[in-house]
Amino acid sequence: MNVVESVADLRAQCDAARVAGRRVGFVPTMGYFHVGHRSLMERARAENGLVVVSLFVNPTQFGPGEDLSAYPRDLEADTRVAEAAGVDVLFVPSVDVMYPDGPPRTTVHVAGLTEGMCGAARPTHFDGVTTVVAKLFSMVGPCRAYFGRKDFQQVAVVRRMAIDLDLPVEVIGCPLVREPDGVARSSRNAYLTAPERAAAPGLHAALGAAADRIRAGERRAEAIRELVASVVEAPLELEYVEVRDATDLVSLDELAGSFVIAVAARLGRARLIDNIVMEVDGAAVEVDDGVIIDQDAAR
Ligand code: PAF
């Protein structure tokens, strides 16, 4: 695996692969890898000739007072994980490499899909994400890019950006990865104290209760929002529960077709997000709750 820090070195490796007829698969990350990241890298490895992973804690997607300086970092361990997953190029740019002239004056804004959900509490977040992802796509030139579906809104927003800007990349949403007790894997779980970690499964349990109610025939989105709000207990502080169409993220009144139930909650220093995707067709109900991968329990 080559660890590269400059855009010129990154482009040289990607260009050489394309000239040799290899497809480039790309996994953008902010590091502190856990088994969820590893699953994205392994999928990219299985589907592409060259696998590029970027590791960049992007300052422009953090708002004032958010956890930019505290965001967990461990480049040595991350390098080992990426190498073991078969990554070819690990791109580790500095802030100066990514933003040589300071914060970019050109930004990418995806209207509509960025409103509400995480966009409500983090109003500048998605412009930071889409702008850095557009820059990374331009540097790497991938055929396929892999994102975890824990960040459901992010996947929908990035996919819309790629469609609207005719970017020649397939945006692939990969399964949400859970710990055995249901907690969604996140680098930010490192912030949880032991009692907070013990309370964290409550968020996933609330989604499970919502799925059970829908299986039992409930089709009113408001009833589902109320149910989730009533079962999430302290020390979890629910920030939002939303029921939205799975593709365009329009808020729903009646449950039909494919939709997401998405939640965010504060727990100590951490802000946890989680979701389940459901498909309702008359009485038939399907639930995509993600996958449990019981490895790397430390993170
Ligand atoms: O999901 C993340 O880790 C980040 O938002 C991303 C996509 C790497 C952009 O900085």
Side-chain angles (χ1 to χ4, degrees):
M1 183 176 78
N2 291 314
V3 180
V4 302
E5 294 178 5
S6 80
V7 178
D9 286 347
L10 172 67
R11 281 196 208 279
Q13 306 243 351
C14 296
D15 286 348
R18 277 186 294 269
V19 166
R22 295 158 79 195
R23 287 177 178 271
V24 178
F26 178 44
V27 183
T29 80
M30 298 207 302
Y32 210 63
F33 297 150
H34 50 72
V35 69
H37 293 108
R38 208 153 66 210
S39 68
L40 302 181
M41 296 175 203
E42 285 167 0
R43 172 122 181 231
R45 177 70 286 158
E47 296 180 354
N48 300 277
L50 185 86
V51 176
V52 179
V53 171
S54 65
L55 192 172
F56 178 60
V57 182
N58 172 37
T60 68
Q61 68 189 75
F62 289 78
E66 290 187 2
D67 57 341
L68 173 61
S69 56
Y71 198 83
R73 296 162 211 243
D74 188 345
L75 181 57
E76 246 180 65
D78 285 351
T79 305
R80 282 196 299 273
V81 171
E83 186 133 42
V87 170
D88 297 302
V89 181
L90 182 63
F91 177 48
V92 191
S94 65
V95 173
D96 283 347
V97 164
M98 286 304 286
Y99 301 120
D101 302 319
R105 278 159 287 187
T106 304
T107 58
V108 181
H109 174 69
V110 176
L113 279 78
T114 53
E115 284 158 22
M117 301 173 72
C118 290
R122 309 185 73 194
T124 56
H125 171 68
F126 285 113
D127 287 6
V129 170
T130 41
T131 302
V132 80
V133 171
K135 280 170 70 74
L136 289 164
F137 281 178
S138 153
M139 293 167 182
V140 175
C143 292
R144 304 186 185 96
Y146 300 83
F147 295 82
R149 276 184 26 195
K150 177 175 71 67
D151 298 287
F152 194 89
Q153 189 174 14
Q154 171 170 279
V155 181
V157 166
V158 170
R159 187 173 283 141
R160 188 72 249 167
M161 171 184 81
I163 292 168
D164 287 349
L165 300 182
D166 295 301
L167 304 179
V169 54
E170 185 186 353
V171 174
I172 298 173
C174 301
L176 186 157
V177 175
R178 299 190 182 281
E179 306 217 15
D181 64 1
V183 172
R185 288 281 187 157
S186 166
S187 303
R188 287 185 167 104
N189 292 353
Y191 299 150
L192 298 174
T193 63
E196 288 162 357
R197 178 63 189 77
L203 200 57
H204 177 241
L207 292 171
D212 287 346
R213 185 69 66 85
I214 294 165
R215 282 195 198 93
E218 182 60 76
R219 295 292 180 267
R220 292 167 302 145
E222 186 54 27
I224 296 305
R225 286 189 286 267
E226 283 172 10
L227 171 69
V228 171
S230 71
V231 298
V232 173
E233 301 179 326
L236 285 159
E237 289 170 47
L238 191 66
E239 188 180 278
Y240 70 72
V241 46
E242 301 234 19
V243 183
R244 299 229 182 173
D245 178 85
T247 305
D248 58 18
L249 300 187
V250 168
S251 192
L252 298 182
D253 293 329
E254 285 295 310
L255 305 181
S258 180
F259 59 90
V260 60
I261 307 175
V263 288
R266 300 263 164 202
L267 184 55
R269 282 173 57 222
R271 178 176 178 278
L272 307 182
I273 60 174
D274 201 343
N275 66 75
I276 50 172
V277 180
M278 298 189 66
E279 174 102 30
V280 165
D281 181 7
V285 175
E286 276 178 33
V287 184
D288 176 356
D289 187 31
V291 295
I292 290 175
I293 303 181
D294 186 9
Q295 293 171 41
D296 190 17
R299 284 188 190 170

